[in-house]
Amino acid sequence: MYIPDARELFHTMASLIPIVQEVLPMIMPASISVTRSADILPPSEHHTSGDQQADDRTDVSPKTVIPAAAPTPAPTPAPAAEGPRVISRDAIVGQAESMCATVLIVKPRSSSLIHHNGEQETIIYVTSGTGVLLAQPKDEDEQHPERHVLGKGDFAYIPAWLEHQAVNESEAEDLVMVVVRSGSAPVEVNLRSWGGAELKEGRS
C-alpha cells in the first residue's frame, strides 16, 4: 500500500485551502451587527451644550458608569448636577474576537480615572467637543503627565499598558469619543495615581 510522504501531504492540504475559503462562508455565514446611536447615547441629550439638564441615571447601567476623578492639573470643579459625569457605553462588544468599540462621554469640567487598558491597544476618535488626553510621564523624574489636546475629528493611538486619562476642561460642552480596543471586550484597570496601585471597585 502506498503511503504518501509529508511533502505530498502538505501540498495536498495546501491545495484544499482555496476550497475551504469558498465553502466556509456558506457553512458559517457571517452577518453585520449594527448598534443604533439611540441605544448608545442618552436620548435626551445631543452632547453639544451644558445648558441642557438631563438625568442619565435611569439610562445608564451602573456597570457602565466610570467614577469621575480629579485629573492633573485638575479643572475647576463643576457645579452639582444630576446624573453621572463620565459615561461609558458599549457600542460593539463581544461581536469580534480582536476588537470592540465603546463611546465615552465626559461632562464639562470632569475627567475619567487614571487607567490603562492592559494588553489592549486603543484608538480614540473625537466626535464632538474638545478635551485633553493625559498620558503617563515618560521620565520618572517628571511630575506632570503629557498633555495632548484633542478636538472634533481628531484621532489618538494609545499603546498597551500606557496609563492615561481623558479630561474635559470646557465649561459647557460634552466631550464625546469613540474608543476602539484590540480585544473582544474592553479592559480597563483604574489606578489611584500615575504609576499607583490599582483602584479596586468599591474602594475610594
Side-chain angles (χ1 to χ4, degrees):
M1 182 178 67
Y2 174 72
I3 300 177
D5 59 21
R7 180 176 298 179
E8 289 178 310
L9 286 173
F10 174 80
H11 285 298
T12 301
M13 294 177 65
S15 65
L16 293 175
I17 292 178
I19 299 175
V20 172
Q21 289 176 332
E22 292 181 4
V23 174
L24 192 59
M26 293 184 288
I27 300 175
M28 301 177 63
S31 61
I32 294 176
S33 177
V34 176
T35 304
R36 303 294 180 186
S37 61
D39 297 327
I40 303 172
L41 303 178
S44 56
E45 291 196 34
H46 300 286
H47 309 289
T48 57
S49 173
D51 295 335
Q52 296 174 337
Q53 297 297 322
D55 188 350
D56 295 334
R57 288 174 296 179
T58 59
D59 186 60
V60 182
S61 167
K63 293 183 179 180
T64 63
V65 176
I66 303 173
T72 305
T76 304
E82 294 183 348
R85 303 300 300 169
V86 181
I87 306 167
S88 179
R89 305 296 299 272
D90 290 348
I92 302 292
V93 172
Q95 299 293 323
E97 293 183 2
S98 58
M99 68 173 60
C100 63
T102 59
V103 175
L104 182 66
I105 305 167
V106 184
K107 296 292 185 177
R109 289 182 282 173
S110 301
S111 70
S112 70
L113 290 165
I114 298 170
H115 62 281
H116 65 73
N117 301 125
E119 297 181 351
Q120 294 181 347
E121 297 176 285
T122 303
I123 293 177
I124 289 177
Y125 173 69
V126 180
T127 62
S128 64
T130 301
V132 178
L133 187 62
L134 301 179
Q136 182 180 12
K138 294 180 180 180
D139 191 341
E140 294 182 358
D141 297 329
E142 180 61 45
Q143 297 182 350
H144 301 293
E146 297 180 2
R147 288 174 57 89
H148 304 274
V149 178
L150 299 176
K152 181 179 179 180
D154 290 345
F155 286 84
Y157 165 72
I158 303 174
W161 301 106
L162 181 67
E163 298 175 12
H164 57 282
Q165 182 180 40
V167 183
N168 184 352
E169 298 177 333
S170 71
E171 297 292 328
E173 188 175 16
D174 290 355
L175 172 62
V176 183
M177 301 183 292
V178 174
V179 183
V180 179
R181 297 182 177 95
S182 60
S184 179
V187 172
E188 194 162 280
V189 180
N190 295 320
L191 306 172
R192 293 182 176 273
S193 61
W194 297 107
E198 181 179 350
L199 183 61
K200 301 294 185 180
E201 186 176 354
R203 297 174 61 182
S204 58

